[in-house]
Amino acid sequence: MKFGIMVNEGPYTHQASDSAYNFVAAALEKGHEIYRIFFYHDGVNNGTRLTTPPQDDRNIVNRWSALAEKHEIDLVICVAAAQRRGIADADESKRNGKDADNIAPGFRISGLGQLLEASIQADRMVVFGD
Amino acid sequence: MKFGIMVNEGPYTHQASDSAYNFVAAALEKGHEIYRIFFYHDGVNNGTRLTTPPQDDRNIVNRWSALAEKHEIDLVICVAAAQRRGIADADESKRNGKDADNIAPGFRISGLGQLLEASIQADRMVVFGD
Amino acid sequence: MEEAGETKKIMYVNRKAPYGTIYALEALEVVLIGAAFEQDVYMMFLDDGVFQLKKEQDTKALGVKNFSPTYRALEMYDVEKIYVEKESMEVRGLTADDLIIPVEVKSNEEVTKMMTEMDVLLNF
Amino acid sequence: MEEAGETKKIMYVNRKAPYGTIYALEALEVVLIGAAFEQDVYMMFLDDGVFQLKKEQDTKALGVKNFSPTYRALEMYDVEKIYVEKESMEVRGLTADDLIIPVEVKSNEEVTKMMTEMDVLLNF
Amino acid sequence: MLHTVNKSPFDRNSLERCMRTCDKGSAILLIEDGVYGGIKGSVIEDKVKGAMKDVKIYALEADLDSRGIKGRVIDGIQLVDYNGFVDLTVEYDKVQSWL
Amino acid sequence: MLHTVNKSPFDRNSLERCMRTCDKGSAILLIEDGVYGGIKGSVIEDKVKGAMKDVKIYALEADLDSRGIKGRVIDGIQLVDYNGFVDLTVEYDKVQSWL
């Protein structure tokens, strides 16, 4: 079955990101397809490569990046939500006159249309949030 | 009177940061002293210079930076909370092997002791959060 | 399993008050973008979500943007199926007259039934 | 107005459940660091905060760190004034026997009184 | 002491918790979504009126304005602006934020 | 349809709202802090038992474990792991997350 996932909260503060990750990992193991994971609201904060969690804790961002690479999952960060919260790739950084970017490997920034498309294309849409 | 302020949520998603700003601005106008503003939990996300809010919206990060400069306010971001969430200054970035930093002008990164010190030194501690 | 090109029934479920958090505003942004996809769209306001439609919002003193007039523009985007739960209004001391746009008022029972008829539920 | 060097009564007010959000863990980090400041420290667990002290937490399947053993270490940090509200436990079907450390159980009325006696309240 | 409540009483327990745990002579300030607790005609109105026998209740004007409910506030709740919020934190010896 | 509830019923309204708005034949899955809704001996136990006459209630094992309440779950609530969570989303035609 084809799943679309929406993640509405950032890493560590709310469990939403962990729940989404564990759900996605289980779905993949069962042979399902993840059509797209869309990061919205504070969820965009899952996609910064500048996190350095404590050694004995899980690395939420790296975990998403690794999953995306291994299973070729489309991790999409909403551009409007990202601009409000300071998540930028090289293009966005340049366009907005910033001197740095912070996007993590495996994530891409795109528009809200990607969420709608996932909702239409997927067999099941599952939302994780606060 | 001397105020200590704790801000526990990031910009835009929760109103906590706006409420804290409006409170602080009013306190300064009345001649009170702001001993320190301590950003904890997702509050650390107030201190990224990579935000680009819509033109017709307030710029929460710049607003803090401007207030700090004008009134010499100590804006402290908790280091442990910042590491989890990907807020880094040049030193932190280097120490953690990162290739970029994102801290905004007027903010500094320091330890939780700064929160305790503010609680002890201030006449009133006011907490804004979710 | 959807055929390509098929139209889905999508319900935006709004349960949060405006301004205290950004969910109401960012949900509205989804609805506006979503209009271009020509799906069968339903907006449902439940619980504190009904406060999103309260008349007379004035954000000057707060220093944030008043996005409530945008609800009036939904019609131009062909978003016309807008529902508010009766019980949610009653609990909060509101009636349909308090709302910035005309809506269809549904009982909790009707809301339940409508939800079961959707293809996708997006929660804010 | 405090004199330099004076000791303040500081209460950490914990009202949130563990793991669903990070507040419980990050509050604990404040308490541990705060111990070095040699203030008169009170930890109060109210509402869902009482779940922070539930015995038998096992986070293996969740893949996050189990920080509940740290509450047992509080004594070594001279954090010994630890209180749990009776009514909060009752509502949730808990008793003091369910908790990972010995605590003083206080009624809502006693909690109210204690709060008024503090100099600073830090809320998590 | 001054208590602040920033959550809607229809979604969260914080206003009821606050009203149960504030001593006579203290004050409650409703801010952010907490101002919905001050709305007339709601299911919580009677509890709020009951609490007002023992404590003063204030509500932040900017938060009432933005939510379109300034004209609907329960009689006896006093409106304050941010200056008034600051004054309350000075008048009372400490602040408890019911987050 | 499948309903998920991720909030403590002692803090938020989402479990009660969900139980009021789920049709016969649907299922509720308690996740994250939502699993506290499945605890025995709480003030909400009777309401949960009442809902179980019409809908199946599940709880996510990892969330019960981490909170130390797996041994305290109301009889009749079925435990599932993340695989079971995925299976439920397949079995039911759509998911409503009561955020």
Side-chain angles (χ1 to χ4, degrees), chain F residues 52-77:
Chain F
M52 285 166 69
K53 289 171 194 157
D54 289 326
V55 300
K56 284 185 191 160
I57 302 190
Y58 299 85
L60 195 58
E61 215 169 343
D63 285 323
L64 291 165
D65 275 339
S66 56
R67 290 159 179 83
I69 58 171
K70 188 156 76 180
R72 301 283 280 271
V73 178
I74 296 168
D75 297 332
I77 291 182

Side-chain angles (χ1 to χ4, degrees), chain D residues 13 15-16 46-47 85 88 108 111-112 115-119 121 123, chain E residues 1 3 12-14 17 20-23 93-99:
Chain D
V13 183
R15 294 183 58 241
K16 295 188 177 147
L46 302 178
D47 302 320
E85 191 200 42
S88 296
N108 176 49
V111 170
T112 304
M115 280 189 160
T116 64
E117 291 161 359
M118 295 295 120
D119 294 308
L121 299 155
N123 316 106
Chain E
M1 66 194 281
H3 300 258
R12 306 266 195 121
N13 72 8
S14 56
R17 148 54 78 179
R20 212 165 56 233
T21 313
C22 58
D23 57 309
D93 68 329
K94 59 186 165 279
V95 183
Q96 160 65 15
S97 303
W98 293 97
L99 304 180

Side-chain angles (χ1 to χ4, degrees), chain F residues 15 19 37-38 44-52 57 74 77:
Chain F
L15 177 57
M19 292 192 298
I44 207 173
E45 182 176 6
D46 286 345
K47 277 190 189 169
V48 173
K49 282 180 174 166
M52 285 166 69
I57 302 190
I74 296 168
I77 291 182

Side-chain angles (χ1 to χ4, degrees), chain E residues 25-91:
Chain E
S26 66
I28 299 173
L29 171 61
L30 307 174
I31 66 169
E32 303 176 2
D33 287 345
V35 297
Y36 289 119
I39 201 170
K40 260 184 207 166
S42 87
V43 292
I44 205 173
E45 182 176 8
D46 286 344
K47 278 191 189 170
V48 173
K49 282 180 172 165
M52 285 166 70
K53 289 171 194 157
D54 290 325
V55 300
K56 284 185 190 160
I57 301 190
Y58 298 86
L60 195 59
E61 214 169 344
D63 285 323
L64 291 165
D65 275 338
S66 56
R67 290 161 181 82
I69 58 171
K70 188 155 77 180
R72 299 284 278 272
V73 178
I74 296 168
D75 297 331
I77 291 182
Q78 296 174 57
L79 308 197
V80 292
D81 59 9
Y82 286 102
N83 287 324
F85 183 176
V86 172
D87 290 342
L88 285 171
T89 63
V90 172
E91 181 183 344

Side-chain angles (χ1 to χ4, degrees), chain C residues 13-17 46-49 124, chain F residues 13-14 17 98-99:
Chain C
V13 184
N14 295 282
R15 294 184 58 242
K16 295 187 177 148
L46 302 178
D47 303 318
D48 281 350
F124 296 97
Chain F
N13 72 7
S14 56
R17 148 54 77 181
W98 292 96
L99 303 180

